[in-house]
Amino acid sequence: MSAVENGDRGQAAMATYWVTTTIASFVVAARLYIRIVRKTIGVDDWLMLVTLFVSIISFATAKASVGCLILRLLGPDNVWRRRVVWFVIIFTPLINAINIALTFAQCDPPKALWDRKVKARCWNPNVQLYFAYFMVGKLQICPPIVDHAD
């Protein structure tokens, strides 16, 4: 019986992880090369490199990298927009940490998340669904605030 037939999705998850990590490595290498050649390397570039090497916190650092890029593009005169972007940069890792905790705490034992054969006690799936709504809502609220912050 294969791993897929018995409900173990670990191999597929690892394959997906390594393919996307390889693609990301090429993209980050190209980005850094261009920025070094043009002598425009900034904090956002270094955060993207950290993101590549520290995949556990990659969601937070990738978004912080984009936030730093936005700060660079805004310039020093957009005080309110800069404050909103800084708030999002700081707030995002906290929300992501809560999401990670909720993901692994939703089933006891957590192995049931990737192995369907494991008998486990799990929360109502709506808990994770409602938190996902919150996370998406957070992403949808921030751009209009930045657009109208003046």
Side-chain angles (χ1 to χ4, degrees):
M1 184 183 303
S2 73
V4 174
E5 291 170 351
N6 71 17
D8 186 358
R9 297 174 285 177
Q11 290 178 344
M14 288 304 295
T16 302
Y17 172 78
W18 284 113
V19 167
T20 56
T21 300
T22 302
I23 293 168
S25 298
F26 284 119
V27 170
V28 170
R31 173 186 175 140
L32 289 173
Y33 174 77
I34 290 168
R35 295 288 179 100
I36 289 170
V37 167
R38 295 184 69 193
K39 295 182 173 92
T40 58
I41 197 159
V43 174
D44 52 315
D45 302 308
W46 292 115
L47 280 173
M48 193 57 68
L49 187 61
V50 169
T51 298
L52 187 62
F53 289 121
V54 188
S55 63
I56 293 174
I57 60 168
S58 64
F59 295 113
T61 58
K63 291 174 184 175
S65 174
V66 172
C68 289
L69 175 63
I70 292 170
L71 289 171
R72 184 194 298 194
L73 296 173
L74 285 175
D77 298 333
N78 294 307
V79 176
W80 283 106
R81 286 185 178 141
R82 291 179 67 80
R83 287 181 184 167
V84 170
V85 172
W86 272 114
F87 175 77
V88 172
I89 289 171
I90 293 166
F91 187 64
T92 298
L94 299 174
I95 295 302
N96 285 334
I98 293 169
N99 186 39
I100 291 167
L102 284 176
T103 298
F104 284 103
Q106 69 182 325
C107 287
D108 185 29
K111 185 177 182 179
L113 295 170
W114 60 86
D115 188 352
R116 294 179 185 169
K117 292 187 330 181
V118 174
K119 293 185 180 182
R121 283 180 300 139
C122 296
W123 297 345
N124 182 337
N126 287 334
V127 172
Q128 194 74 10
L129 178 67
Y130 294 147
F131 193 75
Y133 288 156
F134 165 74
M135 289 183 70
V136 170
K138 172 188 66 103
L139 295 172
Q140 297 303 318
I141 290 171
C142 292
I145 291 173
V146 172
D147 289 344
H148 301 353
D150 283 337

